[in-house]
C-alpha cells in the first residue's frame, strides 16, 4: 500500500537545477521513497547515492571537479541519501551546484545537527530546506479514506504513524521495537557530543512519563542524576535528531506567568510508547490525556510544517495553575487551543489571558472534532 506524501508536489515545484533540495527527517519515515519517486518523475537519468555506504563516503568526502564530472556521468538528478554520514559533504555539494548547472541535487538527512553544521555555510543561498515526518493525518485520510482513518484512531494513539506501522497490520510492536533500538539513536551515537548513551535512555524515559506536562531542567537533572547543562545539551541533540519537539512558554513579562519550564513532545506516539514498553490499548491505560495531547501536537506540527507556517507556537501557564495547552501566534494574532479527549469536557479561557492578550476565540479540540483541526490551515 502506497500513501501519497504531501511534500511530493511541494518539492517538485522547487526543481530548478539552481539550488539543492534538502529534506530532513527521522530515519524510516519515507525520505528515500519520496526522493526516488520525485527524481524518477523528472528524469530517468537519475543517480542514487547512499551516504551510509563507505564507498560513497569515500568518493564524496574530498572530490574535485574532474572526478565529479566522471563520477556523476550524464545524470540529470543526483540523490544523496543520509548525507550527514559523509565527511565534508557541504563542500562537495557546493562544488556540484556551482559547476554542474544541468544537475539537480536532492539531499536527505536524519540529523539536523550534523548536516546543518557541515552545509549551512557552503550552501548559503544554494538550498531549499524541508522537513518530513511520519505519516500525517491528512496523508492517511486522503489515501485510505476518512472512514478507515477515523476507525484507526486508537491504533495511531498507541502505535503512531510511521509508514511501516501503518501499512503492515499485525507487526506494529516488532516494527516499533526495531525502530527504537536500531534506528532511533543511530545518528546521535555517531555524534561526538554523546558520551553517555545510557543517559539518553534515562532522559527519554523521563520525558515519556511526563509527556504533556511541564518539564523543569533542574527537576529533570535530579531525576536522571546528571548536570543540568548536560541534560539541556542532550535535549537539544534529541530535538535535532527529530525524536522530540520542544514547546516554550508564552510569556510577555507578567510576573504571574511561567517562563522557565518547557514541554516536550515526541515526534511519534509509537516511539514514546516503545520507550516505556507499553502498547496496551487505550481502554486499559491511565495516560490517555498525555497520549491524546502528544498525538495532536505531533499531527499539528506536520500540518503547519507542510503548509509553510512561519509563526510561533507556545503553551501558557501561571503560577496559580491557570493554563492553556497550546497557542499559535502569527501575523499579530493569538490562537489558543485546549486539548480534551472527552468531547463533553468544558473549559473557560482564564480572564487574565483574555484581558492581557485579546486572543481569538479558544477552541477545544476533542475526539469528535479533531479531524477538522488537523485539516484546517490557514485559519
Amino acid at each position: 500500500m502506497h500513501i501519497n506524501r504531501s511534500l511530493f508536489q511541494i518539492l517538485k515545484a522547487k526543481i530548478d537545477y539552481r539550488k539543492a533540495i534538502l529534506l530532513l527527517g527521522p530515519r524510516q519515515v519515507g525520505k528515500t521513497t519520496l526522493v526516488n519517486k520525485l527524481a524518477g518523475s523528472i528524469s530517468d537519468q537519475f543517480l542514487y547515492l547512499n551516504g551510509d555506504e563507505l564507498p560513497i563516503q569515500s568518493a564524496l568526502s574530498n572530490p574535485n571537479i574532474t572526478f565529479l564530472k566522471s563520477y556523476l556521468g550524464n545524470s540529470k538528478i543526483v540523490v544523496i541519501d543520509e548525507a550527514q554520514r559523509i565527511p565534508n559533504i557541504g563542500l562537495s555539494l557546493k562544488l556540484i551546484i556551482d559547476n554542474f548547472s544541468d544537475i539537480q541535487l536532492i539531499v536527505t538527512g536524519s540529523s539536523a545537527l550534523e548536516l546543518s553544521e557541515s552545509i549551512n555555510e557552503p550552501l548559503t543561498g544554494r538550498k531549499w530546506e524541508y522537513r518530513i515526518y511520519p505519516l500525517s493525518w491528512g496523508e492517511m485520510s486522503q489515501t485510505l479514506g476518512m472512514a478507515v482513518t477515523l476507525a484507526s484512531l486508537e491504533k495511531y494513539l498507541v502505535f503512531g504513524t510511521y509508514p511501516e506501522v501503518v501499512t503492515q497490520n499485525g507487526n506494529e510492536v516488532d516494527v516499533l521495537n526495531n525502530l527504537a533500538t536500531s534506528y532511533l539513536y543511530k545518528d546521535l551515537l555517531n555524534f561526538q557530543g554523546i558520551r553517555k548513551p545510557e543517559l539518553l535512555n534515562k532522559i527519554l524515559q523521563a520525558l515519556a512519563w511526563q509527556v504533556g506536562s511541564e518539564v523543569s531542567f533542574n527537576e529533570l537533572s535530579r531525576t536522571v542524576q546528571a548536570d543540568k547543562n548536560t541534560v539541556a545539551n542532550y535535549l537539544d541533540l534529541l530535538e535535532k535528531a527529530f525524536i522530540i519537539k520542544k514547546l516554550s512558554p508564552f510569556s510577555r513579562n507578567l510576573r504571574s506567568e511561567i517562563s522557565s519550564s518547557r514541554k516536550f513532545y515526541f515526534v511519534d506516539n509509537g516511539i514514546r510508547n516503545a520507550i516505556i514498553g507499553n502498547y496496551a490499548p487505550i481502554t486499559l491505560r491511565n495516560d490517555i490525556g498525555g497520549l491524546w495531547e502528544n498525538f495532536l501536537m505531533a499531527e499539528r506540527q506536520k500540518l503547519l510544517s507542510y503548509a509553510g507556517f512561519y509563526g510561533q507556537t507556545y503553551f501558557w501557564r501561571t503560577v496559580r495553575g491557570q493554563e492553556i495547552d497550546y497557542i499559535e501566534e502569527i501575523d499579530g494574532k493569538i490562537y489558543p487551543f485546549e486539548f480534551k479527549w472527552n468531547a463533553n469536557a468544558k473549559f473557560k479561557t482564564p480572564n487574565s489571558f483574555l484581558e492581557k492578550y485579546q486572543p481569538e476565540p479558544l477552541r477545544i479540540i476533542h475526539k469528535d472534532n479533531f479531524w477538522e483541526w488537523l485539516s484546517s490551515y490557514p485559519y
Side-chain angles (χ1 to χ4, degrees):
M1 174 173 43
H2 175 74
I3 295 179
N4 295 323
R5 304 307 301 260
S6 299
L7 275 176
F8 179 79
Q9 294 299 336
I10 296 172
L11 298 182
K12 192 168 185 177
K14 292 298 182 183
I15 298 291
D16 62 4
Y17 292 85
R18 293 190 295 271
K19 294 184 179 181
I21 292 175
L22 177 60
L23 184 63
L24 301 176
R27 286 181 180 265
Q28 302 294 298
V29 294
K31 296 190 300 295
T32 302
T33 300
L34 176 59
V35 295
N36 280 337
K37 179 184 176 184
L38 177 64
S41 73
I42 299 162
S43 172
D44 57 4
Q45 291 180 283
F46 81 87
L47 176 66
Y48 173 79
L49 303 171
N50 186 349
D52 277 328
E53 297 178 2
L54 291 177
I56 305 301
Q57 294 175 17
S58 177
L60 295 180
S61 292
N62 191 29
N64 55 51
I65 295 175
T66 302
F67 172 80
L68 285 172
K69 185 174 183 179
S70 177
Y71 189 70
L72 301 179
N74 295 322
S75 304
K76 298 300 182 184
I77 311 288
V78 174
V79 174
I80 303 177
D81 209 2
E82 302 299 353
Q84 78 280 353
R85 304 285 287 131
I86 303 172
N88 304 316
I89 186 60
L91 294 176
S92 300
L93 298 178
K94 182 178 182 295
L95 274 179
I96 296 172
I97 294 170
D98 290 350
N99 294 280
F100 299 89
S101 59
D102 58 342
I103 289 179
Q104 173 68 56
L105 268 179
I106 303 174
V107 183
T108 81
S110 298
S111 170
L113 178 71
E114 292 175 294
L115 201 52
S116 293
E117 284 188 347
S118 63
I119 72 170
N120 271 347
E121 186 175 345
L123 292 194
T124 299
R126 296 178 175 88
K127 63 180 172 69
W128 299 109
E129 185 173 316
Y130 294 90
R131 298 284 194 276
I132 186 171
Y133 301 91
L135 294 173
S136 72
W137 179 265
E139 290 168 336
M140 293 185 298
S141 61
Q142 287 175 18
T143 302
L144 305 176
M146 180 64 79
V148 172
T149 313
L150 278 174
S152 301
L153 174 60
E154 293 186 5
K155 172 187 172 181
Y156 302 147
L157 289 175
V158 175
F159 297 113
T161 63
Y162 267 81
E164 198 174 355
V165 169
V166 172
T167 59
Q168 293 195 18
N169 289 323
N171 294 318
E172 294 88 354
V173 172
D174 289 341
V175 170
L176 284 169
N177 287 343
N178 185 45
L179 279 171
T181 55
S182 299
Y183 292 101
L184 196 61
Y185 313 132
K186 185 169 184 177
D187 295 298
L188 277 179
L189 296 181
N190 285 316
F191 181 67
Q192 60 183 0
I194 297 297
R195 297 182 176 86
K196 300 177 180 178
E198 68 279 3
L199 182 57
L200 274 179
N201 281 312
K202 289 182 179 180
I203 292 173
L204 283 169
Q205 287 178 352
L207 293 179
W209 288 114
Q210 297 182 68
V211 70
S213 301
E214 294 164 49
V215 175
S216 159
F217 286 171
N218 287 329
E219 181 181 339
L220 184 58
S221 64
R222 288 193 295 269
T223 299
V224 301
Q225 299 180 319
D227 174 76
K228 182 177 72 170
N229 292 331
T230 300
V231 170
N233 181 51
Y234 275 39
L235 288 170
D236 182 59
L237 295 177
L238 285 166
E239 187 168 15
K240 288 175 177 173
F242 310 110
I243 298 170
I244 60 173
K245 176 70 176 176
K246 177 177 63 182
L247 192 66
S248 297
F250 184 84
S251 176
R252 298 294 157 86
N253 298 318
L254 290 183
R255 294 182 64 183
S256 62
E257 292 176 336
I258 298 292
S259 60
S260 59
S261 298
R262 302 289 184 271
K263 284 187 177 183
F264 289 91
Y265 297 94
F266 286 81
V267 171
D268 183 76
N269 273 37
I271 293 298
R272 181 264 181 180
N273 288 327
I275 288 168
I276 63 173
N278 186 356
Y279 299 114
I282 64 169
T283 54
L284 302 178
R285 305 180 73 112
N286 59 8
D287 59 352
I288 182 59
L291 285 177
W292 183 235
E293 188 164 337
N294 195 93
F295 172 78
L296 290 177
M297 288 298 301
E299 290 302 318
R300 188 67 175 179
Q301 171 66 28
K302 298 169 191 176
L303 176 68
L304 295 183
S305 177
Y306 298 155
F309 178 78
Y310 53 85
Q312 299 295 320
T313 58
Y314 309 94
F315 71 94
W316 179 82
R317 188 173 185 273
T318 68
V319 294
R320 293 183 179 180
Q322 296 175 309
E323 61 182 337
I324 294 174
D325 285 336
Y326 178 61
I327 293 169
E328 292 174 1
E329 182 181 26
I330 187 168
D331 294 335
K333 293 186 177 182
I334 295 170
Y335 300 84
F337 304 94
E338 189 70 15
F339 302 143
K340 303 292 184 184
W341 174 247
N342 186 346
N344 296 317
K346 306 297 183 183
F347 182 84
K348 182 180 179 181
T349 309
N351 287 332
S352 58
F353 187 82
L354 289 172
E355 293 169 2
K356 174 66 178 176
Y357 300 117
Q358 292 85 51
E360 298 298 305
L362 180 136
R363 293 174 61 186
I364 298 177
I365 310 301
H366 51 72
K367 62 180 178 180
D368 287 351
N369 71 0
F370 77 97
W371 59 272
E372 297 175 295
W373 189 60
L374 297 181
S375 307
S376 58
Y377 183 84
Y379 306 95

